[in-house]
Amino acid sequence: MKGTVQLTDKRKIKIMASYVVLGATGQTGAVTVNALMGQATVRVAVRNESKGAAWKAQRAEVAIVEDFADVDALGRAFEGVLGAYVLNPPDYASDDLFAWTEQVISAIVEAARRTRLPRIVVLSSIGGHLPRGTGNILTAYRMEEKLKSLPSKVAIGFVRAAGFMENWRSLLPIKKQTGRLPSFYAPLDRAVPMISAIDIGQTRADMLIQTWQNTQVRELHGLHPLSPNDVAASFSKALERDVQAIILPEREWSSVLAQMGSSPATVRSYSEMICTFNAGTLVFEENGTNRIQGKITIDDVVHSWLSSNSLS
């Protein structure tokens, strides 16, 4: 799909790509690109040439954005496209996660304004409408609010996703060694909304190629809410061995998160988020929003890991 953009001085420029995807090497960004290819020409924004090599081989355009807070680089990535998928790539090792987020959001908004970007699809989160008390998810709220400052003619779509099923993958080494599945979530039998990265990427791609006006919010649920016990049962089936979910005591959260590369500030923020989940107050808005239900199950996700030898 190629076309032209009418400029104010009546000149026309050729659109080399219809859509641009930031974070194209991430777990949801890659799905978005794959879903778009075949329907439209795609530009991927990556940090260096090596990260873009595989996409270039698939005939995608590659834009190098080494720093997501670089307005000029983002502007080059946004130039001439019909729409962009954007996100806030979290820097969990940062001493100030929120300061970094503000820099990235401000750069995205300024680049979109300079290039007159007509359509933006944004990865947000469950609880993205809440202005306080949500830990890391407060970055999603701030991103939504900042993007709303763009001119009203810009179509903005916020995709508020439930918790990622794929986040359980980081605990695989512990589970494989012990047959236990440590869980930040408690109690173990309480189900919370979870969604697959595949459904998130597909939803974003669908939204990019659709036409709408003003601001839309789509809240993305999985087929069913999942409890830690449900996830453990899925691992049990896949591995053909007993796997039990266990509550990870709050006193151990700091050391576990630090081992994952989180800074002390991020540990505090992440802990606040989990406490809000466990209190049952981190929820979807469900008022003036569109509910979207995914198709991928936790069994599908765990089976895909087994097929790729991730669980062997």
Side-chain angles (χ1 to χ4, degrees), residues 244-263:
Q244 295 292 327
I246 60 169
I247 295 173
L248 187 66
E250 190 170 347
R251 65 180 180 275
E252 297 179 16
W253 291 1
S254 295
S255 61
V256 171
L257 292 169
Q259 290 173 26
M260 295 178 179
S262 297
S263 70

Side-chain angles (χ1 to χ4, degrees), residues 265-278:
T266 299
V267 168
R268 290 191 295 272
S269 180
Y270 190 92
S271 298
E272 181 181 48
M273 177 187 70
I274 294 298
C275 287
T276 309
F277 259 120
N278 290 344

Side-chain angles (χ1 to χ4, degrees), residues 88-101:
N88 168 42
D91 182 3
Y92 293 127
S94 172
D95 291 332
D96 192 335
L97 180 67
F98 295 99
W100 164 246
T101 295

Side-chain angles (χ1 to χ4, degrees), residues 58-205:
Q58 296 181 58
R59 299 182 181 276
E61 283 189 31
V62 176
I64 304 302
V65 182
E66 295 181 4
D67 181 354
F68 275 28
D70 184 337
V71 176
D72 292 334
L74 287 169
R76 289 190 292 272
F78 291 167
E79 188 65 43
V81 297
L82 302 175
Y85 160 67
V86 304
L87 77 170
N88 168 42
D91 182 3
Y92 293 127
S94 172
D95 291 332
D96 192 335
L97 180 67
F98 295 99
W100 164 246
T101 295
E102 290 292 339
Q103 293 177 42
V104 172
I105 297 171
S106 296
I108 289 173
V109 169
E110 179 58 25
R113 186 176 282 115
R114 287 184 187 178
T115 57
R116 300 179 183 180
L117 190 63
R119 187 183 312 153
I120 305 175
V121 175
V122 186
L123 178 61
S124 186
S125 171
I126 181 174
H129 63 294
L130 298 172
R132 64 185 64 86
T134 58
N136 289 7
I137 291 175
L138 186 59
T139 60
Y141 171 81
R142 292 183 178 179
M143 191 166 196
E144 288 194 17
E145 292 302 302
K146 192 83 170 181
L147 283 162
K148 290 175 186 176
S149 70
L150 286 169
S152 58
K153 64 182 178 181
V154 180
I156 305 175
F158 297 113
V159 178
R160 293 180 184 159
F164 285 25
M165 294 179 187
E166 286 77 6
N167 286 347
W168 291 99
R169 190 172 188 171
S170 65
L171 297 172
L172 285 177
I174 300 173
K175 177 199 58 55
K176 284 158 51 175
Q177 293 173 10
T178 66
R180 296 182 178 182
L181 185 67
S183 172
F184 289 100
Y185 297 112
L188 296 175
D189 59 354
R190 185 168 66 85
V192 298
M194 291 189 196
I195 188 71
S196 166
I198 296 173
D199 282 325
I200 297 170
Q202 185 63 60
T203 299
R204 292 196 320 241

Side-chain angles (χ1 to χ4, degrees), residues 165-166 168 196 198 223-224 226 229-239 295-307 311:
M165 294 179 187
E166 286 77 6
W168 291 99
S196 166
I198 296 173
L223 273 177
H224 308 285
L226 295 170
N229 285 341
D230 294 330
V231 177
S234 184
F235 279 126
S236 293
K237 284 189 292 184
L239 293 170
K295 300 177 181 179
I296 305 299
T297 68
I298 187 64
D299 286 347
D300 295 330
V301 172
V302 174
H303 179 74
S304 72
W305 296 338
L306 183 65
S307 299
L311 299 181

